[in-house]
Amino acid sequence: GAIGLRYVSGDIDFEKLNYSEVFVRHFKKRIGSFDNYIERLEKLSSVLFSFTFLLFFMFLSFAVFNLVYVLLMKIFVLFFPTAHYSNQMVIGLLSIVYYGLGLLMLIDFFTLGAFKKVKDKWFSRTFFWIYRVYSTISISFVYRPLFLNFIDNRYTRNLFFLAIPYGLFILLGISKVTLEKNNYIPAFHHRTSFRSSIQEASINWRFYDDLRTQHNNTFVDGDILPPKAKIYFASLDEYISTDDELELFLEFRHNDDEHLERTLGFKPFREKGISHRIFSPSNIKDPQLEKIDSLYLLEINLMKDVIRHPNKIIPASIEQKYAEKIELWKSYKNENIGRLRVEMQTTFYKVKNKYMKDKLNKIKTEIINMHVFEIDGRRLPSPQDTYFYTHPNMHEKGILCYIPLDSLATGSHLLTITKTQNLLSCEGKCDPVIINIPFRKK
């Protein structure tokens, strides 16, 4: 278009534009002749044209790379079914190697050949064969000349780096594209408006263990494990209950720790976050258990001293506290120390065990008290039969509880769970989470 315009109109005649001298001088300096503009435009057009082809080949290479992996896994499963645990381990190892080396090649690609610049002979030879294999797998040899010619010039090299955010934008954009075919059927997503009303009128497979299993099994392809969906707040064991009690799993949410930390007066079991088992063990020492251990050591040492050294002077405070036991220990001899130690260990173990049971019960009770349970609008007493539980779905941690259904008639019913959220971030004014789960009693 610019060349055609040059043929018709000639060069830019600034005098005919009748601009002031300030603007004429500025345009002559910044634009120059129209021929120079055509030359710059031609350079830019050529680079953009080749850049478009380079982007296309990069995305094609990425697609082929993943397609080859899928084909390799299909072939492996065909000859070695994944029902065997060892074969699943092999698949996991092959996947780590395949994508691990692929990530290495991707880093080399976006660093413009950083690994190719290493002069060490053994490293170069090893990386060369990895490069040859992945060059074939990803068909990157097709656009390699175009890529190398792009990065050997500063002007085009800077344009190439724009491909990184551009590619990420395209990938993220494609992943968010959805196709909606039934616009009068409500969505089951937990962020949907009027969520609780939609839940009340729908059977959502995410809230039932049996329906979730059926859903996952619809995606089973041969011996390949099906994908799984995470439990959202709660899950019943089955949609149609055939027992006299309802088995309900309550997921422990990440922000529940904040509530328990403020309401319970004791330390948690482990530190939150990342830790190393050797250098920074995550277990937290319970002050109360340490106190019981200290009392045990004090008492057992006192017992030994009384038996072995009956004339040894004991501090008045300790003698007054353990007066009865000291009188009893004085009647024993050295050969009785072993038996007495075992008896004391048993006694203190019972004390520690009782403390731990009370601690666990307090945690379970506080978690249950965060929930209000209703069936068909009638409030239920808090479940008493509760257990800490790791759900086999995706190893979600939470509480498994049982709700009696003895007095419930046969037919459809609605379980409503209202969970309070007492978080510092909303100063105690957080809206409760309401989960409606329809079920049937047979």
Side-chain angles (χ1 to χ4, degrees):
I3 292 173
L5 181 62
R6 175 69 175 83
Y7 176 76
V8 174
S9 181
D11 207 340
I12 303 174
D13 191 346
F14 292 103
E15 303 301 329
K16 288 185 177 181
L17 294 175
N18 200 26
Y19 289 163
S20 67
E21 184 180 350
V22 173
F23 283 96
V24 170
R25 187 166 58 249
H26 171 74
F27 286 138
K28 284 184 176 180
K29 180 180 178 181
R30 300 292 296 177
I31 298 176
S33 68
F34 195 69
D35 292 336
N36 291 336
Y37 170 73
I38 291 177
E39 185 178 348
R40 294 196 303 271
L41 191 62
E42 182 183 11
K43 178 182 177 182
L44 180 62
S45 299
S46 299
V47 170
L48 289 176
F49 188 68
S50 60
F51 180 62
T52 304
F53 268 94
L54 181 61
L55 285 177
F56 169 76
F57 281 123
M58 286 167 58
F59 283 113
L60 180 64
S61 177
F62 180 74
V64 172
F65 172 76
N66 287 283
L67 179 62
V68 170
Y69 170 78
V70 172
L71 293 176
L72 289 175
M73 291 300 104
K74 290 281 188 182
I75 295 171
F76 183 87
V77 171
L78 184 64
F79 291 99
F80 305 99
T82 56
H84 299 289
Y85 179 75
S86 58
N87 292 343
Q88 294 180 15
M89 294 289 291
V90 171
I91 283 184
L93 183 61
L94 290 176
S95 302
I96 292 173
V97 172
Y98 185 86
Y99 279 101
L101 294 177
L103 179 62
L104 196 70
M105 298 304 302
L106 187 68
I107 293 173
D108 180 73
F109 180 76
F110 282 118
T111 56
L112 308 183
F115 296 132
K116 298 185 184 75
K117 297 174 183 178
V118 178
K119 304 301 182 182
D120 182 78
K121 181 175 64 174
W122 294 107
F123 180 87
S124 296
R125 287 182 178 178
T126 304
F127 185 75
F128 173 73
W129 287 109
I130 297 175
Y131 159 78
R132 290 290 299 274
V133 171
Y134 277 83
S135 178
T136 304
I137 290 175
S138 62
I139 64 168
S140 59
F141 60 87
V142 175
Y143 64 88
R144 185 71 59 186
L146 185 64
F147 170 70
L148 295 176
N149 206 7
F150 231 87
I151 65 175
D152 70 347
N153 181 275
R154 182 179 179 182
Y155 177 78
T156 53
R157 184 167 59 246
N158 292 336
L159 184 62
F160 167 75
F161 284 121
L162 291 175
I164 300 175
Y166 182 77
L168 291 174
F169 175 77
I170 293 295
L171 288 175
L172 292 175
I174 292 175
S175 66
K176 298 299 180 182
V177 174
T178 58
L179 176 63
E180 186 59 65
K181 295 185 290 185
N182 308 111
N183 56 344
Y184 273 92
I185 301 297
F188 284 159
H189 198 274
H190 63 270
R191 295 191 181 93
T192 306
S193 301
F194 305 102
R195 179 184 64 236
S196 59
S197 299
I198 293 173
Q199 290 173 354
E200 184 176 346
S202 310
I203 305 299
N204 187 346
W205 57 268
R206 294 177 183 271
F207 292 118
Y208 312 89
D209 294 347
D210 57 341
L211 299 186
R212 190 185 308 107
T213 301
Q214 291 179 23
H215 174 270
N216 293 340
N217 288 338
T218 58
F219 295 93
V220 174
D221 183 9
D223 294 315
I224 297 178
L225 297 175
K228 292 185 177 182
K230 191 177 181 301
I231 292 174
Y232 176 70
F233 275 98
S235 178
L236 291 178
D237 62 330
E238 53 187 5
Y239 166 59
I240 301 177
S241 180
T242 56
D243 300 324
D244 288 333
E245 58 184 6
L246 209 58
E247 183 180 296
L248 173 66
F249 172 73
L250 300 173
E251 182 198 13
F252 190 80
R253 308 289 289 182
H254 68 278
N255 51 17
D256 290 344
D257 283 322
E258 181 182 323
H259 171 76
L260 294 177
E261 188 175 350
R262 288 187 287 113
T263 54
L264 297 175
F266 46 74
K267 293 281 187 180
F269 296 108
R270 291 176 304 280
E271 292 283 1
K272 216 171 186 179
I274 299 174
S275 63
H276 194 282
R277 292 184 179 180
I278 297 177
F279 302 105
S280 56
S282 60
N283 290 338
I284 296 177
K285 293 182 179 180
D286 191 306
Q288 186 62 28
L289 291 177
E290 289 188 323
K291 182 180 179 180
I292 296 173
D293 286 334
S294 298
L295 291 174
Y296 165 71
L297 290 175
L298 173 65
E299 192 167 318
I300 199 169
N301 289 328
L302 179 61
M303 179 266 295
K304 291 178 183 179
D305 283 344
V306 170
I307 295 175
R308 291 174 178 172
H309 312 286
N311 297 322
K312 184 178 180 180
I313 299 175
I314 301 172
S317 58
I318 296 178
E319 186 175 11
Q320 183 179 0
K321 183 178 180 181
Y322 294 94
E324 293 183 8
K325 291 185 178 181
I326 290 174
E327 287 300 319
L328 179 63
W329 291 334
K330 286 180 179 180
S331 63
Y332 290 101
K333 298 181 180 180
N334 285 341
E335 56 265 25
N336 301 124
I337 290 178
R339 180 174 60 84
L340 290 173
R341 181 193 289 116
V342 173
E343 291 176 357
M344 292 170 66
Q345 285 177 341
T346 303
T347 301
F348 275 93
Y349 174 77
K350 289 179 180 179
V351 174
K352 292 169 66 175
N353 193 44
K354 182 181 182 305
Y355 167 76
M356 184 55 67
K357 283 184 177 180
D358 291 341
K359 181 175 181 178
L360 293 171
N361 286 331
K362 286 180 181 178
I363 295 174
K364 288 192 298 181
T365 301
E366 191 59 40
I367 294 174
I368 291 295
N369 288 342
M370 295 167 65
H371 303 79
V372 174
F373 305 91
E374 296 177 308
I375 291 183
D376 301 333
R378 180 174 61 87
R379 182 164 179 171
L380 304 174
S382 297
Q384 300 299 315
D385 196 4
T386 60
Y387 302 90
F388 290 104
Y389 188 64
T390 300
H391 202 285
N393 177 58
M394 291 184 69
H395 295 178
E396 297 94 339
K397 296 184 183 300
I399 298 291
L400 190 66
C401 57
Y402 295 88
I403 300 175
L405 300 178
D406 302 354
S407 59
L408 210 60
T410 302
S412 298
H413 300 278
L414 179 68
L415 172 66
T416 301
I417 305 170
T418 305
K419 182 176 182 180
T420 57
Q421 300 188 95
N422 299 322
L423 305 179
L424 292 176
S425 55
C426 53
E427 298 179 352
K429 298 179 181 179
C430 301
D431 293 330
V433 177
I434 301 175
I435 303 295
N436 285 316
I437 308 179
F439 69 96
R440 293 186 66 83
K441 183 183 178 184
K442 194 170 182 179

